[in-house]
Short mmCIF file of all heavy atoms in Angstrom, two decimals:
data_model
loop_
_atom_site.label_atom_id
_atom_site.label_comp_id
_atom_site.label_asym_id
_atom_site.label_seq_id
_atom_site.Cartn_x
_atom_site.Cartn_y
_atom_site.Cartn_z
N ARG Q 22 51.57 220.28 -51.45
CA ARG Q 22 51.03 220.08 -52.84
C ARG Q 22 51.08 218.71 -53.27
O ARG Q 22 50.09 218.17 -53.86
CB ARG Q 22 51.90 221.01 -53.73
CG ARG Q 22 51.63 220.76 -55.24
CD ARG Q 22 50.36 221.51 -55.63
NE ARG Q 22 50.15 221.45 -57.00
CZ ARG Q 22 49.47 220.56 -57.69
NH1 ARG Q 22 48.97 219.50 -57.03
NH2 ARG Q 22 49.33 220.59 -59.06
N THR Q 368 21.04 224.70 -91.90
CA THR Q 368 22.08 223.61 -92.26
C THR Q 368 21.72 222.25 -91.68
O THR Q 368 21.03 222.19 -90.67
CB THR Q 368 23.45 224.02 -91.87
OG1 THR Q 368 23.48 224.25 -90.47
CG2 THR Q 368 23.86 225.38 -92.61
N THR Q 443 50.46 220.57 -93.15
CA THR Q 443 49.25 220.41 -93.87
C THR Q 443 48.12 221.32 -93.40
O THR Q 443 47.28 221.78 -94.17
CB THR Q 443 48.81 218.94 -93.78
OG1 THR Q 443 49.82 218.12 -94.27
CG2 THR Q 443 47.58 218.67 -94.73
N ASP Q 481 63.24 223.10 -92.41
CA ASP Q 481 63.43 222.49 -93.74
C ASP Q 481 62.22 221.79 -94.32
O ASP Q 481 62.25 221.53 -95.56
CB ASP Q 481 64.60 221.44 -93.58
CG ASP Q 481 65.86 222.12 -93.20
OD1 ASP Q 481 66.02 223.31 -93.38
OD2 ASP Q 481 66.74 221.38 -92.58
#
Side-chain angles (χ1 to χ4, degrees):
R22 173 74 174 89
T368 56
T443 304
D481 300 334

